Amino acid sequence: MSSVAPTAAEQPPIFHAEAERSPLEAAVASELAEGLAASGFLVLPSQMEGFVQVGAPVEGHEVVNFGTSKKKCPTTVAVRTVPGKLVAEDAAPAVCPVCGGTYTYGYHIYAHLGGFRCPKCGYARPTPQYAVTEITAQDVDSSSVNMDLNGRDLFLHINLPAVYNIYNAAGAAAALDAFGFQRAEIAGALASFDCGFGRMEKFDLEGTPGRMMLVKNPAGCNQVLEFLQNIKEKFILVVCLNDRPADGTDVSWIWDADFEALAGMAGRLEQVIVSGDRAQDMRVRIKYAGIPDGQIQVERDYARLVEQIAGQELPVFLMPTYTAMLELRQVVIRHCGGTEFWK
């Protein structure tokens, strides 16, 4: 395989769950910075939070910031880090990577993302050149937004649902514009993009619509649960929890995710099936979230699980952790058809 010399890199938000893979979020940021040490890069740091930008940009880098516009998106979104509590103060304090001070926030988007500022040294969220200014529509398959594209207005229909994919699309639009693509080309690419590799990926389960939604930490899990709250019809939910190194061996994070939101889906949430190496832990978590035990099924065998959900009358949403996604996806493809993620 030949090597590729990239010319751009998008720096994503770093969540507290990464701490198990590296001792501190700052260490993860440092590793990212080391990987981008060569000059000539176009760097796109997500300015929803401050962990990934440490100090001054590397000489020779062009930095393009993207995110949301406080002016047009002022609503404070509660941080859900303790089950049943929906106030931003419950979040673990975000630490300034410049001086070690504790951030204050003018507003939150979700988790530690939002309008941060360090009162100790003044480090703060810069105004992004590329910003989502308004979310005009959201449904089970897509989102529509207005975006400030470095001083120019652009309407985007994004062929991906959920708020976190709006941020991903904003980063992609920023990179494409910086490389000289026309607005019509950018809009067309995001409108026709297909979901893949367990990231809101669609499957035909013998006539049953299925969607696989990878979850790795409380922040991302809460975004998936928020997406499920917008489902208007009855559905079946499958949650697969593993605790292997690539997932994180400490599964206590499931108690920081807002699974209590499932209880608010009564009348639409027909059944919850739990699977994976830690299926019993997930069963207990779902039960304590308010779902009746008789509505929860444990099925560890992925082949039997896929046979059960295939051909169902109701749509099926699958929430696996990383290694569970890899295994379950292979079984789904063998049983129901599909392509490898690189095709």
Side-chain angles (χ1 to χ4, degrees), residues 237-275:
L237 178 64
V238 177
V239 186
C240 304
L241 179 65
N242 280 1
D243 61 351
R244 302 173 196 177
D247 306 289
T249 56
D250 181 1
V251 297
S252 63
W253 68 266
I254 64 176
W255 294 93
D256 292 331
D258 187 29
F259 283 102
E260 279 68 17
L262 295 176
M265 303 176 200
R268 292 178 291 126
L269 179 59
E270 187 75 7
Q271 182 185 22
V272 179
I273 305 173
V274 295
S275 189

Side-chain angles (χ1 to χ4, degrees), residues 4 18 35 50 79 93 180 190 195 260 267 270 295 316 339 342:
V4 176
E18 271 76 18
V79 180
L190 291 173
C195 310
E260 279 68 17
E270 187 75 7
Q295 201 174 339
V316 178
T339 60
W342 59 83

Side-chain angles (χ1 to χ4, degrees), residues 76-280:
T76 297
V77 178
V79 180
R80 303 173 179 179
T81 58
V82 177
K85 295 184 178 181
L86 302 178
V87 293
E89 287 74 14
D90 289 325
V95 178
C96 175
V98 177
C99 72
T102 301
Y103 285 153
T104 59
Y105 282 82
Y107 62 97
H108 277 89
I109 302 299
Y110 68 91
H112 55 268
L113 313 185
F116 65 87
R117 182 182 182 278
C118 177
K120 184 176 178 182
C121 71
Y123 176 65
R125 176 187 188 269
T127 301
Q129 298 105 305
Y130 296 86
V132 174
T133 57
E134 185 179 12
I135 300 173
T136 61
Q138 287 183 283
D139 58 37
V140 68
D141 292 317
S142 63
S143 301
S144 295
V145 304
N146 290 323
M147 189 169 177
D148 178 355
L149 206 67
N150 203 16
R152 294 161 295 152
D153 293 331
L154 178 65
F155 172 80
L156 292 175
H157 179 74
I158 305 164
N159 194 34
L160 290 165
V163 171
Y164 59 90
N165 280 319
I166 292 176
Y167 287 129
N168 292 336
L176 290 170
D177 184 73
F179 278 123
F181 286 86
Q182 299 299 309
R183 282 182 288 178
E185 295 175 299
I186 296 171
L190 291 173
S192 59
F193 181 82
D194 288 329
C195 310
F197 200 39
R199 275 75 170 178
M200 288 290 177
E201 185 175 13
K202 290 182 178 181
F203 291 97
D204 182 352
L205 305 171
E206 296 184 358
T208 296
R211 190 183 286 274
M212 187 174 291
M213 308 167 295
L214 174 68
V215 294
K216 299 183 290 184
N217 53 49
C221 186
N222 286 344
Q223 290 300 296
V224 170
L225 291 167
E226 184 175 312
F227 163 76
L228 291 174
Q229 288 178 310
N230 294 320
I231 306 300
K232 305 302 182 185
E233 58 187 332
K234 289 186 176 183
F235 64 93
I236 295 170
L237 178 64
V238 177
V239 186
C240 304
L241 179 65
N242 280 1
D243 61 351
R244 302 173 196 177
D247 306 289
T249 56
D250 181 1
V251 297
S252 63
W253 68 266
I254 64 176
W255 294 93
D256 292 331
D258 187 29
F259 283 102
E260 279 68 17
L262 295 176
M265 303 176 200
R268 292 178 291 126
L269 179 59
E270 187 75 7
Q271 182 185 22
V272 179
I273 305 173
V274 295
S275 189
D277 300 339
R278 302 296 290 268
Q280 285 295 342

Side-chain angles (χ1 to χ4, degrees), residues 279-334:
Q280 285 295 342
D281 296 79
M282 198 69 247
R283 183 192 70 81
V284 172
R285 179 67 185 94
I286 297 295
K287 178 181 178 180
Y288 275 87
I291 302 302
D293 202 36
Q295 201 174 339
I296 307 169
Q297 176 190 343
V298 177
E299 178 53 79
R300 295 180 180 275
D301 186 283
Y302 289 148
R304 289 199 297 265
L305 170 61
V306 173
E307 287 178 2
Q308 177 181 343
I309 61 177
Q312 289 278 348
E313 294 183 0
L314 301 178
V316 178
F317 295 91
L318 305 106
M319 290 176 58
T321 56
Y322 186 71
T323 62
M325 182 272 289
L326 296 177
E327 295 175 343
L328 179 59
R329 192 177 182 280
Q330 287 298 314
V331 176
V332 169
I333 289 174
R334 286 198 302 268

Side-chain angles (χ1 to χ4, degrees), residues 9 29-38 41 61:
S30 177
E31 291 173 7
L32 284 172
E34 182 179 347
L36 300 175
F41 266 111
H61 284 183

